[in-house]
Amino acid sequence: MVTVSKKRAANVTVRTSQEAQRARIDAGVKEEVINVYAPPGRLGVVIDTPDDGPPVVHAIRDSSAIADQLRVGDKLLSVDDEDVTSMTAIKVSKLITMKNANPTRKLS
């Protein structure tokens, strides 16, 4: 599913170094791709499509299993290595939902 609100390319990775990566990104307005490996099931993330760019994270439920790895405004570049930068939010959401039984889904 999902980048940083300071014009950072959003991908999420579940690692203990995630906080350190976020701190480095927050220190500047640098775009960096981060991979997030989402568990099966619903993610509790709302995606929107701006007029001039890739899909972005619009909202995140507090109960989301990946809430600590995403931020509102993060860009979503790919789902399981499939490019989603030119897809609508509805198409991206359907793609993620189609894969919700997979053991993991890679969001970049």
Side-chain angles (χ1 to χ4, degrees):
M1 288 176 211
V2 248
T3 305
V4 177
S5 60
K6 293 183 180 181
K7 295 188 177 183
R8 179 193 65 175
N11 293 343
V12 184
T13 303
V14 179
R15 295 183 181 165
T16 56
S17 65
Q18 185 71 28
E19 290 181 16
Q21 285 179 319
R22 293 271 182 200
R24 285 194 303 272
I25 292 168
D26 288 342
V29 183
K30 176 182 176 185
E31 289 198 354
E32 181 176 330
V33 175
I34 299 170
N35 297 311
V36 174
Y37 294 91
R42 299 186 69 156
L43 296 180
V45 176
V46 178
I47 299 168
D48 190 17
T49 310
D51 293 334
D52 61 343
V56 298
V57 175
H58 179 73
I60 307 164
R61 288 181 171 244
D62 291 339
S63 60
S64 171
I66 57 174
D68 62 335
Q69 302 173 63
L70 298 176
R71 293 188 183 162
V72 170
D74 281 355
K75 298 174 188 174
L76 184 56
L77 305 176
S78 66
V79 174
D80 288 338
D81 296 321
E82 181 176 338
D83 183 2
V84 298
T85 57
S86 62
M87 290 185 185
T88 65
I90 292 171
K91 286 184 180 181
V92 173
S93 294
K94 286 182 180 181
L95 177 63
I96 292 169
T97 300
M98 286 181 0
K99 298 171 177 275
N100 72 356
N102 293 359
T104 61
R105 291 164 284 176
K106 178 183 173 186
L107 306 178
S108 299

